[in-house]
């Protein structure tokens, strides 16, 4: 919270207003059991101690959270004006960043209570708020990555041919939970032509010999995310599948090798994309190369053309180039990496070669 206050001051802001969602969990560990019309708001700024405004009936839950002991709690009761309670902690005419997840109802209420204040989206003014991870966060992300790798190792032994995509997706979810995930967010299983859709949801398609299958799966372990992709072949792959897979594998390696402090995010994208373009598949790489990860699966920094932000040790993000041939198949390979003092460390270490499944 002290770092957030300092970052806000550097950005020309008077404070940060944090509503239920990823920012509040990250700062306090508090996740309200229900996000409702009742206002919950953490005010962080350089001019006062962090203060958490909560509905009176939810105060016991807030007090039990891991990090709220570092805040002053202020409660309000049903029938009272929650925005007046919040406004008493703030300053009209000041400038505040507000969590992206804030309800419009609550932001409009604050604007009415503080008509002279200016409110900005956190992503606009403090896009790197959660981007640089500390040692504890890195340990959690590494554990989540290792658990996802273990799930992948086991899914290679599961039968694919003759089963639906949803069957393997269910297997993946169960394996993630078995290896410690408390939450499974996605299990993409894109077989054959479905693999050409990067965000395909597993469906009823029956897999058969010769299918190329994209697996993309992840969730939360100890509150931090995993996200990895591998592409497998049901039975022996065709020469074309082998060729495309090798291009993507080399592109992914080039992207990872480009990661080091001071390099612009877009240069990692360029390194991976150049390999695919040189192989003649440039128009079939249809998404950015990566996204940050932490208490959410997608967060800054974004590894994409036009993002000139320099990499800093402690940043964690995916490197996931892909090639997608509509109506035929797709290939994607994804690891989470972290920037180190002198380079890069992969948080996923499972094999990236084309594996054959039964």
């Amino acid at each position: 919270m002290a770092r957030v206050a300092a970052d806000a001051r550097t950005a020309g802001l008077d404070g940060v207003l944090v509503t239920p969602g990823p920012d509040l969990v990250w700062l306090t560990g508090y996740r309200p059991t229900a996000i409702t019309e009742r206002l919950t708001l953490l005010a962080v700024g350089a001019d006062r101690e962090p203060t958490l405004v909560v509905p009176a009936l939810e105060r016991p839950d807030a007090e039990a959270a891991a990090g709220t002991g570092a805040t002053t709690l202020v409660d309000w009761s049903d029938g009272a004006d929650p925005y007046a309670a919040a406004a008493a902690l703030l300053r009209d005419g000041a400038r505040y960043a507000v969590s992206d997840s804030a309800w419009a109802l609550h932001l409009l209420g604050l604007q009415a209570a503080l008509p002279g204040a200016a409110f900005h989206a956190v992503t606009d003014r403090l896009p790197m708020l959660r981007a640089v991870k500390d040692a504890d966060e890195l340990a959690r992300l590494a554990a989540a990555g290792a658990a996802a790798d273990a799930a992948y190792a086991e899914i290679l032994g599961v039968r694919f041919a003759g089963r639906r995509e949803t069957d393997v997706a269910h297997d993946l979810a169960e394996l993630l939970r078995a290896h410690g995930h408390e939450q499974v967010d996605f299990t993409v299983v894109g077989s054959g032509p479905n693999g050409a859709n990067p965000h395909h949801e597993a469906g009823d398609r029956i897999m058969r010999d010769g299918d190329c299958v994209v697996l993309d799966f992840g969730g939360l372990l100890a509150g931090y995310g995993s996200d990895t992709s591998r592409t497998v072949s049901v039975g022996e792959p065709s020469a074309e599948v082998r060729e495309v897979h090798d291009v993507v594998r080399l592109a992914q390696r080039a992207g990872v090798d480009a990661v080091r402090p001071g390099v612009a995010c877009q240069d990692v994208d360029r390194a991976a994309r150049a390999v695919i373009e040189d192989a003649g598949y440039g128009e079939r790489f249809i998404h950015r190369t990566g996204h940050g990860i932490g208490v959410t699966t997608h967060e800054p920094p974004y590894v994409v053309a036009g993002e000139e932000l320099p990499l800093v040790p402690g940043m964690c993000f995916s490197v996931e180039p892909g090639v997608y041939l509509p109506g035929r198949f797709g290939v994607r390979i994804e690891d989470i990496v972290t920037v180190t003092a002198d380079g890069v460390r992969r948080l996923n270490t499972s094999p990236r070669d084309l594996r054959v499944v039964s």
Side-chain angles (χ1 to χ4, degrees):
M1 286 184 257
R3 179 159 65 84
V4 168
D7 288 349
R9 185 170 57 250
T10 300
L13 299 166
D14 295 288
V16 180
L17 308 182
V18 182
T19 58
D23 294 333
L24 188 61
V25 173
W26 176 64
L27 285 170
T28 68
Y30 180 41
R31 188 190 304 271
T33 54
I35 300 175
T36 69
E37 74 284 353
R38 291 187 173 98
L39 178 70
T40 296
L41 182 78
L42 172 67
V44 178
D47 59 345
R48 65 167 56 247
E49 292 298 311
T51 303
L52 181 62
V53 179
V54 296
L57 77 167
E58 295 175 7
R59 181 170 184 140
D61 289 339
E63 289 176 330
T68 56
T71 71
T72 298
L73 260 70
V74 173
D75 60 39
W76 62 275
S77 300
D78 285 352
D81 183 352
Y83 306 108
L89 308 171
L90 307 175
R91 180 165 53 83
D92 206 10
R95 292 162 296 181
Y96 298 102
V98 184
S99 291
D100 296 347
S101 57
W103 280 24
L105 172 71
H106 299 319
L107 180 56
L108 291 170
L110 289 170
Q111 287 178 324
L114 298 165
F119 300 94
H120 308 269
V122 160
T123 291
D124 288 342
R125 297 302 298 272
L126 295 167
M128 295 299 113
L129 192 68
R130 305 196 313 259
V132 178
K133 273 60 180 181
D134 62 24
D136 177 68
E137 292 179 293
L138 288 172
R140 294 181 188 221
L141 284 163
D149 287 349
Y152 174 66
E154 291 194 40
I155 205 68
L156 292 175
V158 168
R159 184 160 187 83
F160 282 62
R163 301 177 72 210
R164 296 173 298 178
E165 292 173 341
T166 51
D167 295 330
V168 174
H170 174 77
D171 292 340
L172 272 172
E174 290 302 303
L175 286 169
L176 286 171
R177 293 187 184 98
H179 288 284
H181 280 62
E182 69 266 13
Q183 179 176 313
V184 176
D185 291 333
F186 52 93
T187 51
V188 172
V189 180
S191 65
N194 291 339
N197 175 0
H199 283 171
H200 171 70
E201 291 190 8
D204 290 332
R205 184 179 185 276
I206 303 295
M207 291 174 283
R208 58 182 184 271
D209 281 348
D211 276 347
C212 184
V213 184
V214 177
L215 306 173
D216 184 354
F217 50 97
L220 297 180
L221 188 153
Y224 279 74
S226 67
D227 185 4
T228 189
S229 301
R230 295 290 185 265
T231 302
V232 301
S233 176
V234 182
E236 285 302 312
S238 67
E240 184 180 27
V241 167
R242 286 191 181 277
E243 175 192 332
V244 173
H245 189 279
D246 201 46
V247 168
V248 174
R249 182 180 58 81
L250 293 174
Q252 208 259 356
R253 179 192 295 173
V256 172
D257 288 347
V259 175
R260 61 184 182 277
V263 168
C265 289
Q266 68 176 359
D267 289 340
V268 178
D269 179 270
R270 287 171 176 168
R273 198 169 299 275
V275 175
I276 293 174
E277 289 176 344
D278 289 347
Y281 295 102
E283 293 183 357
R284 300 307 181 191
F285 181 9
I286 57 177
H287 55 72
R288 65 195 174 202
T289 292
H291 57 81
I293 190 169
V295 294
T296 58
T297 307
H298 285 197
E299 61 185 47
Y302 294 106
V303 182
V304 64
E307 180 51 82
E308 298 179 352
L309 181 83
L311 299 179
V312 175
M315 284 182 172
C316 296
F317 51 88
S318 65
V319 179
E320 50 176 307
V323 168
Y324 308 94
L325 305 179
R328 301 172 65 199
F329 66 90
V331 174
R332 182 166 64 258
I333 300 173
E334 173 186 15
D335 292 326
I336 301 300
V337 304
T338 184
V339 185
T340 64
D342 56 1
V344 62
R345 171 191 170 200
R346 292 184 191 260
L347 300 186
N348 293 106
T349 58
S350 59
R352 285 169 286 279
D353 56 327
L354 181 59
R355 292 300 174 98
V356 174
V357 296
S358 62

